[in-house]
Amino acid sequence: MVLVPVLVGVGVLLLGEVILFGLHHLSRHAGGRLRHLAVLLVAVRVGLGRSDWASTETRVEILGWLTTACLLACALVAYSIFDAFFLRRVDGSGEARVPALLRELGRGLVLFATLLAALSAINGVPLSAVVVSSTVLSAVLGLALQDVLKNLFAGISMQLESVPRVGDWLNLDGVVAKVVEMSWRTTRLRTNEGHFLIEPNSRLAELRLTNYGSGAAPVAFAFHVGLAYDTPPATAKAALLAAAASSPGALRDPVPVAMARTYGDSSITYELRVWTREVDALSWFRDGVLSRIWYEVRRAGLDIPFPIRTVHHHDVAGGKAEGERRERARIADLLGRLDLFRGVAPEILAELAAASRKLFFDDGERLVREGEAGDSLFVVDRGRVLVSKAAEDGGTTNVRLAVLESGSFFGEMSLLTGEPRSATITADGGCEVLLLTKADVEPLLAGDPALAETLSRALADRNAATQAAFAARRERRSVTSMIETDHGSILKKVREFFRLQG
Ligand code: CMP
């Protein structure tokens, strides 16, 4: 009877397809392409098993091989269902729980184990023969496929460590590209120019590559800029930081930093470190920062002497003398605008300007220390300084007395009275000050005794301010006795010190 086996076969086929349809409905990956073949094989095997279509021996033999084929196909379908429902499930970060490469490897192992079991259990092939021949085969294959295996294991280790991940931007020997796919043999990357790079996994594992990540976490990039030697580092760093602050794609947190790196042939090299998440558009980010540096540096009146060498044929001595003359005129003008030197004749101011020395200080540097001996007067030219005095608590804290901006002077107290410095002066940001020695100011005091009066009045006012600041800290008793605020007695001291006529 042919009808019964055919009906049984068709029944199995229909049942199998219904089950597969249901599974496929639950997950489109369940079963894969092999699922119909597996159902067909099972249906044929069940149908043929029900009829006497050949001699018993031949039938047993053929049915045995057919069973093995069914088992292999079913094992693959079962693995795909397991894969679809468990291995492929994405975790919170949107990535498959098990990397694709490992899932493929699992499929291969399931196939191999089913084949071994089926061959020995169904087809009567002795397991030892299968194992021996598969060992010999693996040895031969191992030798022949050394490179392939190297790539495979490199791929597995990269996927296990999740470094790099699909979506990460890598720098491979200077080429920046995004990982778009990782297979068991190669990793495919795409550059921003649309070029695809296909790197064997083993090479990728050996290379010293830089992984910029996918942009989820900020990464920093360093920009090196050479600025002229006569630019004070604080000014240079301030200009670079201003450039970073306005650059597209630059993050404020983490904050950008600017540092001096080396003293080069023709410039001081600075490093500006800027953080970004724009790893997808690194070239634009770099362009933005480098362009802003140029504009900012130009606006600040600074020079980028490197790598361009500008050769000027000009009278160096004459040019220098002219520059110095202009600078002296500027300083004389600045001094003339100070309360201190109001009314002083222009030629005397010019002499003072010529005698003054310009000093540069970095942020946080001490210009004057409380308690030290000193006899020089300072004028703030650019930037600002902080005036502070140790509190009467054993010197552990400082009391902020004043902030002196460009055009202010300090150091007059020691200069005029010969007493130790009454306060500490600290640079607040980079600053430039003019230094006048006692020898520079003395002739001026001798020639114009009214100057002593102005100075001692300023001194008295500052002492009064100091006293008020300490009074606010409830330290009045200990300090009142120390600080002289009476203008008359200060003036007397100054006259005695400079042996001026009353
Ligand atoms: P000198 O004592 O030579 O050195 C420290 C300087 O700090 C001092 O001179 C003044 O110029 C300045 N100084 C002291 N007290 C004050 C204050 N209260 N306000 C502003 N400047 C001050």
Side-chain angles (χ1 to χ4, degrees):
M1 281 286 277
V2 182
L3 192 63
V4 175
V6 171
L7 283 179
V8 170
V10 171
V12 170
L13 188 69
L14 288 176
L15 184 69
E17 282 297 331
V18 169
I19 294 173
L20 284 182
F21 180 77
L23 284 172
H24 189 65
H25 194 67
L26 289 176
S27 166
R28 67 192 173 84
H29 299 292
R33 280 185 221 113
L34 257 180
R35 63 189 194 275
H36 302 295
L37 179 68
V39 169
L40 188 68
L41 278 173
V42 173
V44 170
R45 166 66 185 81
V46 173
L48 285 182
R50 295 245 156 202
S51 73
D52 305 331
W53 45 274
S55 70
T56 317
E57 211 173 296
T58 318
R59 219 161 29 97
V60 169
E61 175 103 355
I62 293 180
L63 285 180
W65 287 109
L66 205 54
T67 309
T68 301
C70 284
L71 280 176
L72 285 180
C74 289
L76 282 179
V77 172
Y79 185 83
S80 320
I81 293 169
F82 177 68
D83 179 62
F85 288 105
F86 298 102
L87 306 183
R88 253 177 206 267
R89 288 266 291 276
V90 288
D91 59 17
S93 66
E95 288 193 16
R97 224 183 257 170
V98 181
L101 186 57
L102 285 187
R103 291 181 1 240
E104 287 311 313
L105 202 68
R107 192 188 304 278
L109 283 177
V110 165
L111 196 66
F112 186 64
T114 313
L115 185 69
L116 279 191
L119 283 178
S120 87
I122 298 168
N123 305 101
V125 179
L127 200 60
S128 56
V130 177
V131 172
V132 169
S133 57
S134 62
T135 314
V136 172
L137 192 69
S138 350
V140 172
L141 285 179
L143 278 175
L145 302 177
Q146 250 182 20
D147 280 350
V148 174
L149 291 177
K150 244 166 74 182
N151 285 328
L152 177 71
F153 288 118
I156 293 173
S157 82
M158 287 195 305
Q159 297 220 357
L160 280 178
E161 291 169 19
S162 295
V163 205
R165 289 164 178 244
V166 170
D168 282 357
W169 283 86
L170 307 183
N171 186 332
L172 307 154
D173 285 340
V175 179
V176 177
K178 183 182 186 171
V179 178
V180 286
E181 197 184 317
M182 294 173 80
S183 77
W184 59 274
R185 201 179 69 81
T186 56
T187 296
R188 260 159 58 91
L189 303 113
R190 189 177 185 275
T191 67
N192 260 338
E193 294 83 35
H195 304 168
F196 279 98
L197 310 176
I198 297 164
E199 288 289 342
N201 289 339
S202 57
R203 195 177 112 81
L204 221 55
E206 279 165 14
L207 266 181
R208 223 190 95 175
L209 48 88
T210 312
N211 188 347
Y212 299 139
S214 61
V219 273
F221 291 90
F223 299 85
H224 294 102
V225 188
L227 292 175
Y229 267 93
D230 55 8
T231 304
T235 310
K237 287 189 251 178
L240 294 178
L241 289 177
S246 71
S247 297
L251 297 176
R252 279 161 189 241
D253 182 23
V255 284
V257 280
M259 295 167 280
R261 287 302 296 259
T262 49
Y263 288 111
D265 282 349
S266 51
S267 62
I268 302 180
T269 307
Y270 292 90
E271 177 177 318
L272 176 64
R273 200 175 290 163
V274 192
W275 293 81
T276 186
R277 285 202 169 85
E278 305 287 318
V279 286
D280 275 345
L282 272 188
S283 307
W284 288 115
F285 170 69
R286 284 215 175 86
D287 167 76
V289 178
L290 288 173
S291 307
R292 291 293 158 93
I293 288 175
W294 190 92
Y295 286 108
E296 197 60 50
V297 161
R298 271 300 169 98
R299 274 198 297 274
L302 310 180
D303 198 14
I304 307 183
F306 180 82
I308 304 157
R309 271 161 215 248
T310 315
V311 181
H312 294 293
H313 295 275
H314 65 110
D315 173 8
V316 176
K320 200 169 166 215
E322 173 58 19
E324 282 171 1
R325 195 194 58 73
R326 251 191 272 139
E327 177 65 358
R328 271 203 307 276
R330 189 186 68 78
I331 292 173
D333 181 56
L334 175 80
L335 296 179
R337 279 187 278 117
L338 302 187
D339 285 347
L340 193 60
F341 300 118
R342 187 164 294 149
V344 174
E347 53 282 5
I348 305 225
L349 287 176
E351 271 173 34
L352 266 186
S356 71
R357 258 183 73 206
K358 174 91 155 264
L359 300 178
F360 296 85
F361 289 91
D362 199 359
D363 181 30
E365 274 196 283
R366 299 263 155 88
L367 287 78
V368 156
R369 273 173 211 275
E370 183 180 351
E372 276 181 359
D375 61 0
S376 40
L377 182 73
F378 298 83
V379 175
V380 182
D381 187 0
R382 293 198 175 99
R384 59 184 201 168
V385 296
L386 306 178
V387 186
S388 60
K389 190 170 172 68
E392 298 286 298
D393 59 359
T396 49
T397 51
N398 280 322
V399 181
R400 164 85 63 92
L401 296 177
V403 179
L404 303 179
E405 307 272 354
S406 166
S408 312
F409 63 88
F410 59 88
E412 78 290 350
M413 295 187 182
S414 295
L415 172 83
L416 294 178
T417 62
E419 284 174 8
R421 296 291 188 193
S422 61
T424 294
I425 309 284
T426 314
D428 185 24
C431 71
E432 297 169 27
V433 294
L434 303 170
L435 181 140
L436 292 166
T437 61
K438 186 179 174 195
D440 301 328
V441 185
E442 212 162 13
L444 206 64
L445 279 170
D448 178 10
L451 183 63
E453 170 122 16
T454 319
L455 278 173
S456 47
R457 192 170 293 283
L459 198 158
D461 288 349
R462 283 183 170 175
N463 274 350
T466 303
Q467 195 179 52
F470 273 75
R473 291 176 53 90
R474 303 185 191 288
E475 295 200 18
R476 182 191 294 268
R477 245 179 303 129
S478 51
V479 175
T480 11
S481 56
M482 288 169 53
I483 295 180
E484 183 67 85
T485 55
D486 178 47
H487 169 225
S489 42
I490 291 171
L491 185 59
K492 190 160 163 277
K493 258 193 200 164
V494 172
R495 287 202 171 120
E496 278 166 18
F497 188 59
F498 280 88
R499 297 193 190 87
L500 303 174
Q501 300 301 313

